[in-house]
Amino acid sequence: MTFRLAYAGALGTAGALGGVLVATLVLPVVGGVGVAAKEAARTFTDQLPAPPEDPLPEMTRVLDRHGKQIAQFYIQNRESVPIDRIAPVMRQAIVAIEDARFYEHGALDARGTFRALVTNAQAGGIRQGGSSLTQQLVKNLLVNHAETDQERQLARVQNLDRKINELRYALALERKYTKDQILERYLNIAYFGAGAFGIQAAAQRFFGVNASRLTLPQAATLAGAVRTPYNTDPTLGAKQRQALRERRDLVLERMAELGVIRPAAARTARSKPLGLNMQAAGGGCGQSRYPYFCLYVQHEILTNPAFGYTAADRERTLRRGGLVLHTTLDPRTQRSAERAIAARVAPADTEVAAEAMVEPGTGRIRALAASKGYGRNPGNRKNGPNTTYNLPADQAHGGGLGFQAGSTFKAFTLATALSQGWRFGEGFETPGRFVPREGYTNCSGKPVNDPRARIYNAGGEGSGGGPYSLELGTWNSVNIFFMKLERKVGLCNVVNTARKLGITRADGAPLQEVPTFTLGVNEMDPTTVAGAFAAFAARGRYCRPVAITEIVERDGTRVPIRRSCSRALQPEVADAVNHVLQGVFARGTMRGQSIGRPAAGKTGTNNGYTSAWFAGYTPDLAAAVSVGDMRGSYRYPLTGVTIGGEYYGSVQGASLPGPIWVNSMIGSLRRTPPSQFVRPDMARFGGGFTPGLKELLEAQRKKAREARLKARHRRLHQRGAEPSVPDLVELLQGAQPAMADGQDPATGTGTTTVPMTETGQPDLAEPPPRLISGR
């Protein structure tokens, strides 16, 4: 008893771990046959089951649509491996330094514990482990089982009760598993420092090799790191690297002492430098080639009920990891989006461009790109070439507040009108100025009129009134036309159409149901807008944007992720919308910009040039591009700015987002055969009438014809030539004969509309912001 008490008094130099265990052993002796001794004896006769063995946090791998890894993320950088994939020298090294008699004793090695206590007391530090490997495994299992930081802290507390329970759990593990099984579990759960959990991650992190290929010096290095992984973390500095080398040499010395290796081999290994080949941890979306898509995937796990009924369940799924996620990302499409953005917007610009590309009919996100790199800026500056916001996504997927979507929302009013029976060519007279003082009711039945607002057409000068049809109003992006159309079809009906098409605000707040809803006053993200326009391409079938198609669990179980799709519009209505929006390229604000195949879309330039958009699609792919200033779109409008080295007096939907969209779509669809839109049902949608439009168009044609003839005559006169008789006859006749009602001047069928008179003009909501938003 005197011997044991003497060493119990040396706890200050031996360390708390060994001291608590000695106290456990000494207690029955000190207590004699008293109550303490009886309680301690009863404690060990009452057997506990094996400790909880929750799945270890593992690395989750993210694969693109072709099965190639594009990212990996984890709470703990770990990849568990079976013992036959761990080099034998590694097993020998860890046993030698941590529990030399591991294969000889049970859960507790009393002799080894006292030997370690004596050795450590004499050395003035920890040279040998006091707990068996089984006991160390128990402690790690209990920490892994903890759900909160407080629970994890309690699992590490050094006290008598915990050590007794730890030993009882160790006894249960020894009954349940073989020694090799226990060693395998220990090597996979242990922390080796530098963010590496488990021997495979440690071998990769420290030396860039697999655990099966570790050499003697490497194995000794990692075995030495386990005891004090933070003090020997080589990424922290020279002091820690020196401490790691000392621990390696100690392991080599111990292996030679035990006869595991020859003394000469130990001396040779000790003479060598550490030979570290530190590899990047490789985890997290910041290390991914496609960080914005990776972020979307990561947040999708946390927000989508498919990955757990509650937020806690989803957090647990992410934290435990070990999954293989098959995703929708298409590298070719992604590269096309990145190149199109990089060609026009520089990372250092305070203005940012972001694009999302979505497959119609499935909702599969093919690309998420932005003009800035992902990560923190040097010196943690707020502005710079990087950002930590997922710019193409909403806040639920790591994004920011978004930008007002502008006139892209006019497409939802157009769809509502067509669904209510409006026809091509149908329209009405519009004034040069409009005040939404009556007729607007939100979906709660509350009037939301705004008699203070003043709405103007593009240019903001109070002009531009006149008759407009559905097509001409859309191609010209006439604000007043759409304000009046929204009132005629019902504000709430337009809002509901947008909702059916998946429209939600980027910040997650309720949509602003105000008169200027059709002018795009709600802040949006490109993924949501692209998903909505993809539904037009899919003939009215909306599919929630999705990034993950299948999950492979740890045990190999494959769990497909179901598409979340619904019928948002009748197919015939969507066909009619597509017919009108194709004219945006042929006759509207995107005239002169083509992708060489049928396409439809809508520009969006916000009031005061606070942001600019283009959303468009083919039957095969939809995309939305936004541009705005990260410092605040209202404080920093897109006027008089230099972006990507090019000066813009004002940034409009067709001047920057439009070209980005065009280039990204051309590159993405290069190997995809062109698809055609379904022709609209002209019996249902054709034959509309707009009072005064026929006369206006005839006058415009006549005026344009006369201008062309006069210009020709001037050219002839300047060259000294006389006009021919046909020229003179044509000049006297003036305009061409008027088209019959219901005919398209370009094709002779279907509509009474013609190209807008100011082709290529921007579709602007009018300043000041108060006037358009009604805020």
Side-chain angles (χ1 to χ4, degrees):
M1 186 175 78
T2 304
F3 175 81
R4 294 178 181 177
L5 288 176
Y7 280 104
L11 295 182
T13 56
L17 184 62
V20 174
L21 182 55
V22 169
T24 304
L25 298 175
V26 169
L27 181 60
V29 179
V30 176
V33 293
V35 176
K38 293 179 181 179
E39 290 297 324
R42 188 178 299 113
T43 295
F44 284 98
T45 57
D46 295 337
Q47 294 182 354
L48 283 178
E53 295 184 70
D54 298 330
L56 298 179
E58 298 268 355
M59 182 183 300
T60 288
R61 303 184 185 279
V62 184
L63 312 182
D64 67 17
R65 65 178 299 193
H66 304 302
K68 183 178 179 180
Q69 183 168 321
I70 58 174
Q72 57 190 27
F73 49 83
Y74 46 78
I75 299 300
Q76 294 181 358
N77 179 15
R78 175 187 285 108
E79 180 185 354
S80 295
V81 292
I83 198 166
D84 60 6
R85 287 176 53 192
I86 303 173
V89 70
M90 182 67 231
R91 299 178 236 161
Q92 295 168 341
I94 199 72
V95 169
I97 194 63
E98 291 297 321
D99 189 355
R101 299 182 62 253
F102 172 66
Y103 285 96
E104 302 171 23
H105 62 70
L108 173 67
D109 180 15
R111 188 173 72 186
T113 298
F114 278 108
R115 183 191 306 109
L117 182 61
V118 172
T119 300
N120 295 338
Q122 291 175 343
I126 299 176
R127 290 178 61 85
Q128 295 181 18
S131 296
S132 68
L133 282 176
T134 310
Q135 288 174 280
Q136 293 183 52
L137 174 59
V138 167
K139 180 176 69 175
N140 280 284
L141 289 173
L142 294 175
V143 171
N144 180 60
H145 179 67
E147 293 289 341
T148 66
D149 289 340
Q150 183 179 9
E151 290 176 354
R152 282 185 282 273
Q153 187 63 32
L154 289 174
R156 296 187 179 99
V157 169
Q158 297 286 348
N159 61 42
L160 184 58
D161 287 341
R162 191 187 68 79
K163 291 302 294 185
I164 292 175
N165 280 334
E166 183 182 285
L167 181 54
R168 295 168 68 198
Y169 277 133
L171 290 167
L173 281 182
E174 291 277 350
R175 291 192 299 270
K176 184 177 181 180
Y177 296 120
T178 66
K179 288 291 188 178
D180 279 352
Q181 289 173 326
I182 291 173
L183 181 60
E184 175 186 304
R185 282 164 171 75
Y186 175 77
L187 284 170
N188 280 311
I189 200 173
Y191 179 57
F192 291 82
F197 291 82
I199 188 59
Q200 173 66 8
Q204 287 283 350
R205 180 81 165 100
F206 283 66
F207 301 107
V209 301
N210 290 325
S212 61
R213 303 294 299 274
L214 288 167
T215 63
L216 171 61
Q218 293 170 341
T221 300
L222 296 180
V226 168
R227 176 61 55 179
T228 56
Y230 299 100
N231 294 335
T232 55
D233 185 339
T235 65
L236 299 180
K239 180 180 178 181
Q240 286 76 15
R241 288 192 292 273
Q242 179 59 33
L244 180 60
R245 178 165 185 167
E246 292 173 359
R247 286 289 300 171
R248 179 204 68 176
D249 293 348
L250 178 63
V251 173
L252 293 168
E253 178 184 325
R254 180 65 174 155
M255 293 177 75
E257 180 182 310
L258 294 171
V260 176
I261 60 175
R262 295 179 179 275
R267 287 193 299 270
T268 300
R270 290 181 64 179
S271 66
K272 295 181 179 180
L274 281 174
L276 297 172
N277 182 22
M278 300 300 296
Q279 304 294 306
C285 293
Q287 301 293 326
S288 172
R289 172 69 179 82
Y290 312 111
Y292 296 111
F293 187 87
C294 175
L295 280 173
Y296 197 97
V297 169
Q298 187 171 352
H299 282 83
E300 184 73 359
I301 294 175
L302 294 174
T303 58
N304 193 333
F307 302 100
Y309 291 108
T310 67
D313 291 336
R314 296 190 290 271
E315 173 68 29
R316 189 176 298 108
T317 297
L318 181 62
R319 182 157 57 85
R320 297 300 180 189
L323 309 174
V324 177
L325 304 178
H326 292 264
T327 74
T328 61
L329 182 124
D330 182 80
R332 182 188 302 113
T333 303
Q334 178 71 31
R335 287 192 295 270
S336 295
E338 290 174 351
R339 290 168 182 167
I341 290 175
R344 289 174 173 81
V345 185
D349 294 336
T350 57
E351 298 82 10
V352 293
E355 182 172 21
M357 308 188 84
V358 176
E359 183 178 85
T362 67
R364 292 173 176 170
I365 301 171
R366 294 307 188 193
L368 294 176
S371 56
K372 289 188 177 293
Y374 177 73
R376 297 191 178 278
N377 290 305
N380 284 333
R381 296 198 313 270
K382 186 175 182 180
N383 296 313
N386 300 321
T387 181
T388 56
Y389 288 107
N390 191 1
L391 295 174
D394 58 9
Q395 278 193 325
H397 293 89
L401 298 176
F403 295 115
Q404 286 186 333
S407 294
T408 59
F409 266 45
K410 291 174 182 174
F412 308 136
T413 307
L414 171 66
T416 304
L418 290 167
S419 69
Q420 291 184 5
W422 285 62
R423 294 173 176 268
F424 302 143
E426 185 174 357
F428 43 80
E429 183 78 24
T430 65
R433 188 185 74 166
F434 180 74
V435 179
R437 60 169 50 93
E438 61 181 359
Y440 295 90
T441 304
N442 67 15
C443 291
S444 299
K446 178 183 176 181
V448 289
N449 306 302
D450 189 356
R452 300 174 305 161
R454 302 291 185 272
I455 307 300
Y456 301 94
N457 288 328
E461 298 174 352
S463 61
Y468 287 96
S469 65
L470 285 181
E471 298 99 312
L472 193 59
T474 301
W475 301 340
N476 245 331
S477 198
V478 182
N479 293 329
I480 293 175
F481 175 81
F482 273 93
M483 289 291 296
K484 293 188 68 175
L485 181 63
E486 179 187 59
R487 186 171 66 180
K488 288 176 182 293
V489 301
L491 168 61
C492 181
N493 292 327
V494 175
V495 172
N496 284 333
T497 295
R499 286 191 174 124
K500 290 177 182 178
L501 290 164
I503 290 297
T504 56
R505 285 176 57 89
D507 60 5
L511 289 170
Q512 293 187 36
E513 300 175 20
V514 294
T516 47
F517 182 87
T518 189
L519 303 185
V521 296
N522 283 279
E523 284 80 8
M524 304 301 300
D525 63 279
T527 302
T528 300
V529 175
F533 276 68
F536 294 141
R539 304 191 69 205
R541 184 172 187 254
Y542 169 74
C543 293
R544 179 183 181 272
V546 61
I548 304 172
T549 57
E550 184 182 58
I551 304 172
V552 181
E553 298 181 347
R554 293 170 183 243
D555 61 1
T557 301
R558 308 183 80 90
V559 182
I561 302 301
R562 289 187 175 183
R563 302 172 188 169
S564 178
C565 300
S566 60
R567 172 60 59 188
L569 297 173
Q570 294 177 355
E572 297 79 10
V573 172
D575 296 339
V577 172
N578 299 338
H579 175 73
V580 175
L581 293 186
Q582 286 181 79
V584 172
F585 287 95
R587 306 173 177 121
T589 52
M590 284 289 286
R591 185 176 183 180
Q593 302 191 59
S594 171
I595 63 172
R597 64 179 67 209
K602 186 69 189 73
T603 49
T605 309
N606 275 303
N607 175 49
Y609 304 96
T610 57
S611 62
W613 287 74
F614 185 77
Y617 54 95
T618 71
D620 302 298
L621 189 63
V625 180
S626 69
V627 176
D629 197 304
M630 283 200 67
R631 298 171 296 176
S633 58
Y634 294 107
R635 289 185 299 150
Y636 299 95
L638 303 176
T639 55
V641 294
T642 298
I643 303 175
E646 182 173 345
Y647 177 80
Y648 294 84
S650 61
V651 177
Q652 303 151 9
S655 64
L656 184 53
I660 290 174
W661 183 91
V662 166
N663 282 7
S664 64
M665 291 290 282
I666 290 175
S668 299
L669 297 172
R670 194 180 305 278
R671 300 182 185 178
T672 303
S675 299
Q676 302 293 325
F677 289 105
V678 175
R679 293 179 62 85
D681 181 354
M682 298 307 296
R684 176 176 175 181
F685 297 104
F689 173 72
T690 300
L693 183 59
K694 175 182 176 182
E695 295 76 12
L696 174 66
L697 298 181
E698 288 179 347
Q700 289 176 346
R701 281 195 296 270
K702 182 177 180 180
K703 184 178 180 180
R705 183 74 172 173
E706 290 175 348
R708 288 196 298 271
L709 290 172
K710 288 179 180 179
R712 185 188 304 173
H713 179 69
R714 283 195 300 270
R715 289 194 297 270
L716 290 172
H717 181 71
Q718 289 170 357
R719 294 199 300 265
E722 293 295 329
S724 65
V725 173
D727 284 338
L728 292 173
V729 172
E730 192 174 18
L731 180 61
L732 292 173
Q733 287 179 340
Q736 295 176 340
M739 290 286 181
D741 287 346
Q743 285 187 321
D744 185 326
T747 64
T749 60
T751 178
T752 59
T753 56
V754 295
M756 43 187 228
T757 56
E758 296 181 357
T759 301
Q761 291 298 308
D763 57 331
L764 305 179
E766 291 65 36
R770 181 188 66 80
L771 300 183
I772 184 171
S773 68
R775 290 181 176 177

